[in-house]
Amino acid sequence: MQSYDAVLADMVAVARQAGELTLGYFKRFRDLEIGIKGPADFVSEADMESEKLIRKFLFERYPNWSFTGEEFAPVTGTDPEYRWLVDPIDGTTNFINGMHYTISIALRRGNETVCGALYNPVSDEMFTAIKGEGAFMNGEPLKVSEQSDIGLMNVGTGLATSRLFTFPGFYQRLEQIRDPISSVRIVGSSANSCAYVALGRLTGYYEESGLVDWAVGVLLVQEAGGIVTDWWGRGPEFYEKTGCVIVANKATHAYLIDKLKDAPRKDPAD
């Protein structure tokens, strides 16, 4: 079995460098120049500079591996087996408004995520995982919440815009989800939401988002003992392509599956 310890150490190192870089911008968030990629989809100079830094660092150490980021065109390396998935700032809307964000770096081998580092520079929380070796925050092992009481569930999501496939009926379903439970929280970062499930701050999280956003987060939840499926209980061959993901402890997963079962079903061909 291949060891990814040294690779993960590099991921942590560059995530911290990108954290230091982006914090410089974050501290003057009121003065940032913002670009608009689409409805509720923003980009700043900090996003681009963060991705450039991470890309340069990783290609110097792993020149043959491929790279997919949020801000620039993907690069296919001479070794097609390995690919980086990088979100240089997950939660850009948070970032440009002075709220918490994350830097997400995942390593894929074939069709699976084998290790990842997720860094929240504002709180200095570094989440790490290697497949089969557990999930950690600042070196401490993570375990999903054991909460099974519906009235005490704390669920994360994002608020859908009309461009999403799952928008029709979203707010009616949200009302049905919200009413019996303790709370719904909008963390504002898919990756950070997943990390909060792994840590036990949220009992579950669901959203239509993208693989680059939550590849590390999904691994964290799996390694912390949680369940990951799409909204209809299907595996990675579905949720990695459609982006409709649930990450949760056992009880919250069952609750969300029940509440989302009538949502318009998204398939990879859609």
Side-chain angles (χ1 to χ4, degrees), residues 38 62 75 89 99 102-103 109 140-141 186 210 215 218 228 255 265:
Y62 308 93
V75 176
I89 295 179
M99 295 187 285
T102 54
I103 294 161
R109 183 176 184 181
E140 295 296 320
I186 311 298
V218 161
V228 181
Y255 177 80
R265 186 170 299 207

Side-chain angles (χ1 to χ4, degrees), residues 155-159 170 174 184-188 193 202 204-207:
V155 172
T157 191
L159 297 182
F170 178 89
L174 178 61
V184 168
R185 291 290 177 261
I186 311 298
V187 176
S193 298
L202 296 173
Y205 161 73
Y206 75 100
E207 192 171 4

Side-chain angles (χ1 to χ4, degrees), residues 50-252:
S50 178
E51 184 166 320
K52 287 177 185 177
L53 184 155
I54 295 168
R55 183 184 292 232
K56 181 175 183 294
F57 182 103
L58 294 177
F59 273 128
E60 285 177 352
R61 288 157 178 78
Y62 308 93
N64 299 323
W65 292 1
S66 301
F67 187 104
T68 297
E70 283 277 300
E71 309 307 335
F72 300 100
V75 176
T76 299
T78 57
D79 181 354
E81 186 175 18
Y82 290 98
R83 178 174 292 273
W84 302 106
L85 298 183
V86 173
D87 194 339
I89 295 179
D90 186 54
T92 297
T93 303
N94 275 14
F95 179 84
I96 64 177
N97 288 287
M99 295 187 285
H100 286 218
Y101 64 97
T102 54
I103 294 161
S104 179
I105 306 173
L107 178 63
R108 300 276 286 184
R109 183 176 184 181
N111 292 322
E112 67 176 4
T113 305
V114 292
C115 62
L118 176 68
Y119 186 44
N120 180 336
V122 182
S123 61
D124 193 26
E125 293 177 336
M126 178 68 73
F127 297 89
T128 57
I130 295 175
K131 187 175 178 62
E133 298 185 17
F136 302 85
M137 185 189 80
N138 294 343
E140 295 296 320
L142 302 182
K143 184 179 180 182
V144 297
S145 168
E146 296 180 355
Q147 183 59 252
S148 60
D149 186 330
I150 290 176
L152 295 175
M153 289 177 179
N154 184 29
V155 172
T157 191
L159 297 182
T161 62
S162 59
R163 66 186 173 88
L164 295 180
F165 183 92
T166 52
F167 176 78
F170 178 89
Y171 289 93
Q172 289 82 2
R173 290 189 297 276
L174 178 61
E175 182 179 345
Q176 294 168 3
I177 288 168
R178 171 64 185 94
D179 200 43
I181 67 174
S182 169
S183 59
V184 168
R185 291 290 177 261
I186 311 298
V187 176
S189 159
S190 298
N192 215 19
S193 298
C194 292
Y196 282 4
V197 174
L199 184 59
R201 290 175 179 163
L202 296 173
T203 61
Y205 161 73
Y206 75 100
E207 192 171 4
E208 180 185 347
S209 188
L211 176 61
V212 173
D213 296 326
W214 43 250
V216 177
V218 161
L219 180 61
L220 288 168
V221 173
Q222 291 170 329
E223 291 297 314
I227 300 173
V228 181
T229 69
D230 76 354
W231 290 15
W232 304 275
R234 301 177 298 183
E237 67 274 19
F238 290 94
Y239 65 74
E240 288 193 352
K241 293 181 174 64
T242 66
C244 297
V245 69
I246 297 173
V247 300
N249 68 8
K250 183 177 180 180
T252 307

Side-chain angles (χ1 to χ4, degrees), residues 22-38:
T22 54
L23 275 175
Y25 290 94
F26 180 80
K27 290 174 182 177
R28 49 183 178 85
F29 71 93
R30 295 177 186 273
D31 301 320
L32 293 176
E33 292 188 12
I34 309 303
I36 300 176
K37 296 190 287 185

